[in-house]
């Protein structure tokens, strides 16, 4: 089962990751992860790898054409020269220190005209190549996969460029935004000497960097193609579905009167903050993604010296200033008709392990699966706790019946008054 449809519908949230990483170009991508976080870290890593591979494929012919006519700027070089003097005499230095003797030869301080390749556009290209090279070196991939072969190929190509061409003569400094601004300004004034070549690069740069989470349809299509250029794994599809569910839950909340006032924040920052904040009158909702803290402290611990807590991390947790119990939601990218009781028991495990966060058994959990059509099943305990199983139609993801079922469950949770 392909998750391509879910991918396109959740593209905005996925792009928020790439966009946020683009502002950190001066540093190698890094993540603060733990064991539970490792799967999602691998997913984000794969998103970045696929994006870089696709855009390096586009960059290679641009640079191979551009290198034939690089922009330059004049510069003055001060050095010592014998007779006849190469350049012109540096009068001030000659008056101050006179001539210079070296191995029996008389040398004179001179100034001569030269060219430098360190123009803003060349510095920007050099910085981008070095940055991507650092990124490629951090990726941990299985050997003999398409991705690993491309990563190794481009890593070697970048190093060959930096060693054997005039990029090695370019100073690597200054900020990316400033360099991009200066490059565009010089293009407007036709100062690069290679208008088409550098225009092709700066257009590539703006697409690759994904600066800003709001893209036009053409940009979205390019990003989607870059990420879906290789077949996806089942774990990749699962993460796509989880992100889709997060976004769809927000859409349903908006449909019942809530307004998004913050977010979405980048997904790789989820361990630091909520992803969305919504308001409806006096009711404030915080939506967390794959983070344990919002559902409280676990009651179960491993015995022994370490005494490590038995943690659990649901896909989505919603907390409110008006409801004492958090709403727990898990997404499962598998057919609801084939689901096993263990998925429901896992949700009940959250209730048991974090029971202190659900006073009076005010627990509502939601499990989202996929199915040929929308189905709804509900379980209730003798104490009043509730777990609902909903299937997302494969062909019509946002069917009205699914929306009605999910909005009903959200409203039931919002009815739980704060104790």
């Amino acid at each position: 089962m392909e998750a391509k449809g879910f991918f396109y519908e959740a593209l905005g949230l996925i792009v928020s990751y790439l966009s946020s990483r683009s502002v950190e170009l001066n540093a190698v991508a890094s993540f603060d992860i733990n064991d539970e976080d490792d799967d999602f870290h691998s997913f984000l890593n794969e998103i970045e790898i696929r994006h870089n591979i696709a855009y390096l494929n586009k960059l290679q012919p641009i640079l191979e054409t551009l290198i034939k006519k690089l922009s330059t700027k004049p510069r003055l070089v001060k050095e010592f020269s014998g007779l006849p003097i190469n350049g012109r005499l540096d009068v001030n230095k000659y008056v101050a220190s006179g001539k210079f003797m070296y191995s029996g030869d008389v040398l004179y301080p001179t100034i001569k005209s030269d060219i430098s390749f360190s123009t803003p556009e060349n510095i920007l290209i050099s910085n981008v190549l070095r940055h991507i090279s650092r990124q490629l070196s951090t990726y941990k991939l299985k050997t003999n996969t398409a991705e690993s072969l491309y990563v190794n190929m481009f890593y070697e190509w970048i190093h060959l460029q930096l060693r054997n061409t005039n990029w090695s003569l370019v100073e690597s400094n200054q900020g990316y935004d400033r360099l991009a601004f200066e490059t565009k300004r010089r293009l407007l004034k036709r100062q690069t000497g290679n208008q088409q070549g550098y225009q092709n690069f700066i257009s590539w740069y703006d697409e690759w960097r994904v600066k800003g989470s709001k893209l036009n349809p053409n940009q979205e299509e390019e990003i989607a193609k870059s990420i879906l250029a290789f077949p996806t794994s089942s774990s990749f599809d699962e993460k796509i579905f989880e992100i889709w569910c997060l976004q769809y839950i927000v859409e349903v909340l908006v449909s019942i009167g809530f307004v998004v006032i913050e977010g979405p924040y980048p997904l790789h920052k989820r361990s630091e903050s909520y992803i969305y904040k919504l308001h409806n009158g006096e009711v404030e909702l915080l939506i967390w993604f794959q983070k344990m803290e919002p559902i409280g402290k676990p009651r179960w611990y491993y015995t022994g010296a370490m005494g490590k807590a038995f943690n659990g991390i649901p896909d989505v947790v919603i907390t409110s200033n008006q409801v004492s119990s958090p709403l727990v939601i898990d997404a499962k990218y598998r057919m609801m008709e084939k689901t096993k009781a263990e998925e429901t028991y896992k949700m009940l495990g959250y209730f048991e392990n974090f029971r202190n966060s659900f006073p009076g058994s005010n627990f509502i959990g939601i499990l989202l699966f996929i199915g040929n059509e929308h189905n709804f099943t509900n379980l209730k305990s003798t104490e009043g706790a509730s777990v609902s199983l909903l299937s997302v139609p494969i062909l019509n993801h946002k069917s009205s019946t699914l929306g009605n079922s999910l909005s009903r469950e959200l409203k039931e949770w919002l009815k739980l008054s704060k104790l």
Side-chain angles (χ1 to χ4, degrees), residues 1 332-340 343 369-373 391-392 394:
M1 295 176 293
K332 303 296 178 186
Y333 190 65
R334 62 203 62 156
M335 299 293 286
M336 182 171 171
E337 295 83 356
K338 297 180 180 179
T339 185
K340 298 179 180 179
E343 305 296 348
F369 298 89
I370 56 173
N372 293 318
E373 58 185 17
S391 61
V392 179
I394 295 174

Side-chain angles (χ1 to χ4, degrees), residues 253-270:
L253 284 167
V254 169
S255 73
I256 61 175
F258 282 88
V259 177
V260 176
I261 60 171
E262 291 183 35
Y265 292 116
L267 296 179
H268 76 284
K269 298 287 188 181
R270 70 200 181 286

Side-chain angles (χ1 to χ4, degrees), residues 66 69-75 114-128 166-167 169-176 178-187 191-194 198 201-202:
L66 193 60
K69 191 179 179 182
L70 290 180
S71 61
T72 61
K73 67 178 183 180
R75 68 169 180 169
D114 197 4
I115 61 170
S116 169
F117 291 101
S118 294
T119 60
E121 53 272 18
N122 288 341
I123 297 173
L124 179 61
I125 293 171
S126 175
N127 284 359
V128 166
N166 289 326
W167 303 123
L169 303 177
V170 175
E171 302 169 4
S172 182
N173 56 22
Q174 304 181 38
Y176 289 81
R178 182 65 181 174
L179 289 169
F181 173 81
E182 287 295 323
T183 298
K184 292 173 183 177
R185 184 185 65 81
R186 282 168 54 82
L187 282 168
Q191 294 176 333
T192 64
N194 187 348
Y198 286 105
F201 169 75
I202 203 66

Side-chain angles (χ1 to χ4, degrees), residues 48-61:
E48 191 173 82
I49 290 169
R50 288 164 173 258
H51 180 71
N52 275 337
I53 288 174
Y55 276 86
L56 282 169
N57 262 322
K58 295 182 179 182
L59 179 63
Q60 195 169 20

Side-chain angles (χ1 to χ4, degrees), residues 67 76 95 133-134 157 203 255 267 274 307 330 363 399 407:
I67 194 67
L76 296 177
V95 170
S133 174
R134 290 195 300 270
W157 174 75
S203 298
S255 73
L267 296 179
Y274 47 82
D330 249 1
F363 177 81
S399 70
S407 63

Side-chain angles (χ1 to χ4, degrees), residues 274-292:
Y274 47 82
I275 303 299
Y276 289 95
K277 178 188 282 189
L278 297 89
H279 269 192
N280 185 357
E282 296 182 354
V283 181
E284 176 183 283
L285 302 183
L286 300 180
I287 300 183
W288 311 78
F289 185 61
Q290 298 187 343
K291 184 173 174 61
M292 186 189 75

